[in-house]
């Protein structure tokens, strides 16, 4: 009984010291106790076998809370979140809580029990989820863009520290090896742990420094991506060796050949399969978050395939993430939801458990402490030397190679994942695992200040500045951020024209498109058609006239890229749905699948009063997003006139007024103009001004001039970005609709007019748009928000 009282006294003293005097410290501390104490009390009163689930839930809650708090603290002092989560795990483990309150630590995290197996199961799933996220963040075009330098850095940056790690593994004492007979496998894991960098940590610091799109920033991230890929291939091979139980040519050959075949099939046929699965799920399921479920199923399936061919599941999860990240319809919303699940649940649990497994008390042993210092020194020197040499071989100047060497020294999450896999496979001992985790934490803590120091010393080249300006325009652009288009057409000339325009827009960025074709009803005349439930058939794009128009127009353009050398022929993946009637319900049902723009081109656009027809209004009513309506009244669109605008040089009139709608219209006009070297006339109509003789008039005139200059400068920058020849025409003496109609009468092939949709049952874009619609015979494309 005396011992119990003494223990409680020491525990109470520790509570008082740890809680501190500051209110926010006390809040955090007692929030942790809110989870820890009930779990410990429950475990102390009941048999572990009966209460495994309760302890597991408590462990999960504690890891989530401590991981979140420590991750937040780490981020506030300029360190990666995962470092705080690792330290949080260390604090909950034998290194801290085990020393201060051992009974609580053992009750909350009992060794060799059912709760431990359950939480480790979550951790293993967390490894796959983290590798899925890493793969989704892998930018293969980026690797291709800076291929020479990235390959040189990755090769040298992996080879030198990997060789150092393997030699160190061969010289380790047998006491540090779990299986002295399988020393080579341990050496391979140790070499990999020293060789690869953490993409997440590197990207975080580079992004924080606003260097993500700089040339050196792209080389750094691309090199880390390649290093990660090489590392997971090595791990897959090492896993094959460990699974075989002995080292022979067959086991090595099977692992290498199986990995190469898997990568080859995945990066070719696998791309199309993954895209088709995601799109099919998105388009056919009505339950919540079906795409996320399909992504997880794809990850698990590919992980099991790699396990079946004799390599580790992590490679399958990583490659699955690469393919998912390249899916054209992986919307930002879905991407954020999946990342939120991983960041909120799996990351704090995995890294917290990794820290929990690291017993830093072993560093009291002088030999192990000396070995830890040597391991850190070898890791830093080897990686720094390898990355620097690789940078010089890749053609970088000294300052760039120095920044690259500083960046590549961060291990962080990747190292911990490698070490955790090795520990679970039994090829790393507990002490060696602790040393690797210590090395990962220290190298990660040292990298951010070193990289910040190196990056600040690098000037910006002129060509790099131009590219960054283009990417900034693209990042806030309308056309460049479209992910998926919906095209509603019939067999009229208007429908054909809309299909070609949509093909040009889609081809500029490889945007998937669904065509809703209003089929002609041979049995009834148009006036007798009524909404009815008719057969709907999903067909391939081949053989469908609108889809062929879309594909033909798309293939005639080149994609819009910030890097001119990356431009390639346009391509659009088209799905066609044929219906006998298309109304608001049909449009709304299709729109739920996720579209960024509806392009509408049908016959009889006008009604007898000069506004949009009832059919146009019904279709538009079912779509809440941006809308593009094609209109060509009293004008028979012939092939020669099509070609003049969509295939050869023509003339486009673009009225602008500084609104977001007119800016979107400008992007659409420039996209069409870029496809066929069309000249664009930017028509700007000044607002009426107050009399210049008054003070108010002078202020208004200055403000108006400033606004005019800003609008025209912005439109001019867009024209330069799209490499379009744009001339200005400024009017201030007539109403906007009169100015547009007068200018259009000089001979234009198309008016592209931005407008805002007004409320009401009938489609209405405002008085100016209505007047142009009714009075101008020139073909028009209304782009409405």
């Amino acid at each position: 009984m005396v011992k119990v009282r003494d223990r409680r006294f020491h525990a109470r003293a520790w509570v008082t010291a740890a809680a501190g005097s500051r209110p926010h410290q006390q809040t955090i501390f007692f929030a942790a106790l809110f989870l820890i104490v009930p779990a410990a009390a429950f475990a102390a009163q009941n048999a572990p076998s009966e209460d495994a689930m309760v302890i597991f839930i408590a462990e999960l809650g504690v890891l989530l809370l401590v991981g979140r708090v420590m991750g937040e603290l780490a981020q506030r002092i300029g360190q990666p979140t995962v470092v705080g989560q690792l330290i949080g795990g260390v604090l909950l483990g034998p290194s801290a809580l085990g020393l201060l309150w051992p009974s609580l630590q053992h009750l909350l995290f009992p060794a060799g029990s059912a709760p431990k197996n359950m939480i480790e199961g979550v951790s293993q799933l967390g490894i796959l989820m983290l590798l899925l996220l890493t793969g989704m963040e892998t930018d293969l075009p980026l690797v291709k863009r800076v291929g020479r330098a990235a390959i040189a850095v990755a090769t040298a940056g992996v080879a030198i520290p990997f060789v150092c790690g393997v030699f160190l593994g061969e010289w380790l004492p047998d006491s540090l090896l779990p299986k002295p007979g399988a020393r080579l496998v341990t050496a391979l894991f140790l070499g990999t742990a020293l060789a690869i960098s953490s993409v997440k940590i590197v990207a975080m610091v580079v992004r924080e420094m606003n260097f993500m799109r700089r040339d050196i920033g792209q080389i750094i991230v691309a090199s880390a991506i390649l290093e990660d890929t090489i590392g997971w291939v090595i791990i897959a091979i090492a896993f094959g060796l460990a699974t075989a139980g002995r080292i022979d040519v067959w086991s090595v050959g099977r692992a290498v050949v199986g990995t190469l075949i898997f990568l080859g099939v995945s990066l070719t046929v696998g791309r199309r399969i993954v895209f088709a699965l995601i799109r099919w799920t998105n388009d056919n399921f009505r339950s919540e978050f079906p795409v996320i479920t399909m992504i997880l199923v794809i990850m698990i399936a590919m992980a099991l395939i790699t396990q079946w061919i004799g390599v580790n599941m992590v490679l399958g999860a990583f490659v699955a993430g690469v393919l998912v990240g390249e899916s054209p319809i992986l919307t930002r919303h879905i991407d954020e939801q999946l990342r939120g699940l991983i960041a909120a649940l799996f990351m704090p649990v995995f890294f917290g458990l990794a820290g929990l497994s690291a017993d830093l008390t072993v560093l009291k042993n002088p030999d192990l402490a000396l070995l830890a210092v040597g391991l850190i020194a070898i890791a830093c020197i080897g990686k720094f030397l390898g990355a620097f040499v690789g940078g010089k071989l890749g053609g970088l100047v000294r300052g760039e190679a120095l920044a690259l060497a500083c960046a590549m020294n961060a291990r962080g999450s990747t190292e911990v994942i490698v070490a955790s896999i090795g520990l679970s496979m039994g090829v790393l001992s507990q002490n060696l695992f602790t040393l690797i985790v210590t090395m990962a934490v220290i190298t990660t803590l040292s990298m951010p200040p070193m990289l910040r120091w190196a990056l600040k010393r690098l000037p910006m080249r002129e060509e790099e500045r131009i590219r960054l300006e283009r990417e900034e325009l693209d990042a806030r652009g309308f056309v460049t951020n479209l992910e998926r288009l919906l095209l509603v057409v019939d067999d009229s000339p208007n429908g054909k024209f809309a299909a070609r325009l949509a093909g040009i827009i889609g081809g500029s960025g490889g945007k998937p498109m669904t065509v809703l074709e209003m089929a002609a009803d041979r049995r009834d005349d148009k006036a007798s058609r009524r909404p009815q439930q008719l057969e709907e058939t999903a067909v391939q794009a081949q053989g469908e006239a609108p889809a062929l128009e879309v594909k033909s127009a798309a293939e005639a353009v080149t994609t819009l890229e910030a890097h001119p050398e990356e431009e390639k022929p346009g391509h659009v993946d088209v799905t066609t749905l044929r219906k006998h009637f298309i109304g608001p319900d049909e449009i709304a049902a299709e729109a739920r699948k996720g579209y960024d723009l509806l392009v509408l081109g049908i016959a009889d656009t006008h009604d007898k009063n000069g506004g949009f027809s009832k059919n146009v209004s019904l279709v538009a009513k079912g779509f809440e997003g941006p809308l593009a309506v094609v209109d060509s009244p009293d004008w028979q669109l012939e092939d020669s006139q099509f070609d003049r605008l969509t295939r050869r040089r023509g003339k486009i009139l673009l009225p602008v007024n500084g609104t977001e709608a007119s800016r979107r219209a400008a992007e659409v006009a420039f996209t069409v103009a870029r496809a066929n070297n069309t000249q664009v006339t930017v028509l700007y109509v000044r607002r009426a001004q107050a009399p210049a003789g008054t003070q108010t008039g002078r202020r208004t005139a200055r403000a108006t001039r400033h606004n005019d200059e800003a609008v025209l400068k912005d439109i001019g920058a867009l024209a330069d970005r799209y490499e379009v020849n744009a001339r200005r025409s400024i009017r201030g003496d007539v109403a906007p609709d009169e100015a547009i109609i007068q200018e259009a009468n000089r001979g234009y092939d198309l008016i592209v007019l931005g407008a805002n949709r007004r409320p009401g049952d009938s489609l209405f874009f405002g008085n100016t748009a209505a007047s142009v619609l009714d009075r101008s015979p020139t073909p028009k494309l209304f782009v409405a928000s």
Side-chain angles (χ1 to χ4, degrees):
M1 182 66 69
V2 174
K3 292 182 179 179
V4 173
R5 288 177 178 173
D6 289 343
R7 182 180 300 169
R8 289 178 179 174
F9 173 79
H10 291 301
R12 189 182 302 112
W14 177 77
V15 167
T16 304
S21 58
R22 297 182 181 180
H24 68 276
Q25 290 178 340
Q26 294 176 350
T27 301
I28 294 172
F29 178 74
F30 287 111
L33 286 186
F34 180 76
L35 287 173
I36 295 175
V37 174
F42 198 93
Q45 297 174 5
N46 298 275
S49 60
E50 297 176 359
D51 307 307
M53 181 58 68
V54 174
I55 297 177
F56 163 71
I57 295 298
E59 290 177 345
L60 195 62
V62 170
L63 288 172
L64 290 175
L65 176 62
V66 175
R68 173 60 62 184
V69 171
M70 295 303 298
E72 181 73 18
L73 293 176
Q75 198 167 46
R76 293 193 179 195
I77 61 173
Q79 293 295 335
T81 302
V82 295
V83 172
Q85 293 169 346
L86 270 172
I87 295 175
V90 171
L91 295 178
L92 291 173
S95 306
L97 184 59
L99 289 178
L100 298 172
W101 199 344
S103 59
L104 177 62
Q105 204 277 331
H106 291 312
L107 285 173
L108 189 58
F109 299 100
S113 63
K116 180 177 176 60
N117 295 333
M118 295 165 70
I119 200 72
E120 286 182 349
V122 176
S123 177
Q124 293 302 312
L125 180 59
I127 292 178
L128 299 183
M129 298 290 285
L130 287 170
L131 266 296
L132 174 72
L133 183 59
T134 302
M136 290 172 60
E137 294 173 341
T138 300
D139 189 348
L140 293 184
L142 171 62
V143 176
K144 182 180 179 181
R145 183 183 309 143
V146 293
R148 177 194 169 193
I151 291 174
V153 172
T155 303
V158 167
I160 294 178
F162 179 76
V163 171
C164 293
V166 171
F167 271 108
L168 178 63
E170 291 294 331
W171 285 96
L172 285 176
D174 290 346
S175 59
L176 280 177
L177 302 177
K179 299 176 182 178
R183 179 182 291 270
L184 178 59
V185 179
T186 299
L188 287 175
F189 267 89
L190 186 59
T192 306
L194 267 63
I196 59 179
S197 304
S198 173
V199 175
K200 295 179 68 65
I201 304 301
V202 171
M204 182 208 72
V205 178
V206 173
R207 186 181 296 111
E208 175 195 316
M209 294 287 294
N210 292 323
F211 268 74
M212 181 60 78
R213 306 313 304 175
R214 291 280 300 270
D215 289 343
I216 184 62
Q218 294 185 355
I219 294 173
I220 289 173
V221 175
S223 301
I225 289 170
L226 285 178
E227 287 191 6
D228 253 26
T229 304
I230 295 171
W232 295 121
V233 172
I234 296 174
I235 290 298
I237 296 172
F239 180 81
L241 294 176
T243 303
R246 57 191 178 90
I247 301 173
D248 56 20
V249 177
W250 167 249
S251 61
V252 175
R254 180 170 177 264
V256 173
V257 173
T259 301
L260 293 178
I261 292 175
F262 173 76
L263 291 175
V265 173
S266 297
L267 297 177
T268 52
V269 180
R271 293 176 186 268
R272 294 190 291 271
I273 294 176
V274 169
F275 169 50
L277 288 173
I278 291 178
R279 182 176 61 182
W280 179 83
T281 303
N282 180 76
D283 292 353
N284 291 278
F285 282 79
R286 294 291 175 263
S287 53
E288 293 183 333
F289 311 126
V291 173
I292 292 181
T293 300
M294 178 53 68
I295 290 173
L296 297 178
V297 169
I298 291 171
M299 177 200 74
I300 293 172
M302 297 186 72
L304 292 177
I305 289 173
T306 53
Q307 184 74 19
W308 176 69
I309 63 177
V311 295
N312 198 290
M313 288 190 293
V314 295
L315 181 63
F318 176 74
V319 176
V322 172
L323 301 183
V324 168
E326 292 193 327
S327 174
I329 62 171
L330 179 63
T331 64
R332 288 177 291 275
H333 182 58
I334 294 174
D335 183 50
E336 290 172 359
Q337 289 172 342
L338 189 58
R339 290 173 188 270
L341 172 66
I342 296 172
L345 175 60
F346 291 103
M347 284 181 63
V349 171
F350 170 73
F351 291 112
L353 200 62
L356 193 67
S357 302
D359 186 1
L360 299 185
T361 59
V362 301
L363 297 180
K364 293 187 296 185
N365 185 325
D367 294 334
L368 289 178
L370 183 62
L371 182 59
V373 173
L375 182 66
I376 295 170
I378 292 173
C380 293
I381 295 173
K383 173 58 71 174
F384 191 92
L385 181 62
F388 187 85
V389 171
K392 296 297 291 182
L393 293 176
L396 302 183
V397 299
R398 182 178 179 181
E400 293 173 331
L402 179 63
L404 195 62
C406 294
M408 292 296 103
N409 197 38
R411 270 53 174 214
S413 57
T414 305
E415 236 65 18
V416 177
I417 294 174
V418 172
S420 298
I421 294 172
L423 182 64
S424 64
M425 290 170 54
V427 298
L428 292 181
S429 65
Q430 188 67 47
N431 287 344
L432 197 54
F433 171 83
T434 298
L435 296 182
I436 293 176
V437 170
T438 303
M439 179 268 293
V441 172
I442 291 178
T443 56
T444 302
L445 289 173
S446 63
M447 187 276 282
M450 293 175 60
L451 181 58
R452 293 186 184 101
W453 170 81
L455 290 179
K456 288 179 180 178
R457 301 163 59 89
L458 296 178
M460 183 181 297
R461 303 185 183 95
E462 178 63 19
E463 60 272 18
E464 186 178 13
R465 183 190 62 79
I466 295 174
R467 176 180 61 80
L468 291 175
E469 289 178 354
R470 288 184 169 186
E471 291 183 346
E472 183 179 357
L473 282 173
D474 291 348
R476 60 188 182 93
F478 172 62
V479 172
T480 51
N481 284 289
L482 295 175
E483 290 186 335
R484 197 180 186 190
L485 307 183
L486 178 61
L487 173 64
V488 178
V489 294
D490 56 15
D491 57 358
S492 67
N494 233 13
K496 184 178 181 180
F497 193 28
R500 289 197 179 181
L501 292 176
I504 291 173
I505 297 172
S508 67
K511 309 173 194 304
M513 189 178 307
T514 297
V515 178
L516 283 183
E517 183 184 3
M518 189 180 296
D521 193 333
R522 303 294 182 185
R523 295 167 299 177
D524 301 305
D525 63 331
K526 181 169 56 180
S528 64
R529 294 181 196 169
R530 294 291 183 269
Q532 53 185 317
Q533 187 173 0
L534 297 168
E535 182 180 2
E536 175 184 325
T537 307
V539 296
Q540 297 297 325
Q542 294 79 3
E544 295 293 330
L548 290 177
E549 292 288 352
V550 169
K551 282 178 168 280
S552 175
E555 292 168 357
V557 305
T558 57
T559 58
L560 181 69
E561 308 288 350
H563 298 264
E565 65 275 11
E566 294 180 8
E567 293 179 353
K568 54 185 179 293
H571 172 75
V572 175
D573 186 273
V574 182
T575 300
T576 301
L577 302 175
R578 303 191 70 207
K579 294 187 176 184
H580 288 278
F581 178 83
I582 299 179
D585 293 339
E586 288 79 8
I587 294 295
E590 185 65 28
R592 282 194 292 268
K593 300 175 183 178
Y595 295 93
D596 302 301
L597 176 67
L598 168 64
V599 181
L600 174 60
I602 59 176
D604 302 320
T605 311
H606 283 226
D607 66 8
K608 61 182 180 180
N609 297 320
F612 286 110
S613 67
K614 182 178 180 181
N615 288 338
V616 172
S617 296
L618 285 174
V619 172
K621 186 177 180 181
F623 193 83
E624 297 181 355
L627 180 70
V629 182
V630 175
D631 171 68
S632 53
D634 302 325
W635 186 62
Q636 295 300 319
L637 289 171
E638 300 175 355
D639 286 341
S640 60
Q641 293 165 312
F642 274 133
D643 291 342
R644 184 169 64 245
L645 182 62
T646 58
R647 292 180 181 172
R648 293 200 300 269
R649 188 177 182 87
K651 294 178 65 178
I652 295 177
L653 176 61
L654 172 65
V656 297
N657 59 6
T659 63
E660 182 63 25
S662 73
R663 194 179 193 277
R664 289 183 174 187
E667 289 192 51
V668 173
F670 293 150
T671 301
V672 176
R674 176 178 175 271
N676 48 78
N677 197 28
T678 298
Q679 184 186 65
V680 178
T681 296
V682 178
L683 175 63
Y684 183 73
V685 182
R686 288 197 177 104
R687 294 175 298 176
Q689 301 180 16
T694 65
Q695 184 177 3
T696 301
R698 288 191 293 271
R699 286 199 303 265
T700 302
R702 286 195 299 268
T704 300
R705 284 195 300 270
H706 179 75
N707 178 73
D708 294 347
E709 292 171 359
V711 171
L712 293 174
K713 181 179 179 181
D714 181 52
I715 298 299
L718 279 176
D720 292 341
R721 169 65 190 98
Y722 283 82
E723 300 176 342
V724 170
N725 179 22
R727 58 177 289 268
R728 296 181 180 181
S729 178
I730 303 175
R731 299 286 299 274
D733 54 341
V734 294
D737 56 334
E738 291 294 338
I740 295 170
I741 294 171
Q742 290 175 12
E743 182 68 30
N745 289 337
R746 297 181 180 180
Y748 287 86
D749 301 294
L750 180 67
I751 301 173
V752 181
L753 180 62
N756 290 313
R757 193 188 308 195
R758 308 299 171 88
D761 292 333
S762 298
L763 185 63
F764 184 63
F765 293 148
N767 294 328
T768 298
S771 179
V772 173
L773 172 69
D774 183 41
R775 298 169 55 195
S776 176
T778 306
K780 296 168 283 292
L781 177 63
F782 295 94
V783 180
S785 59

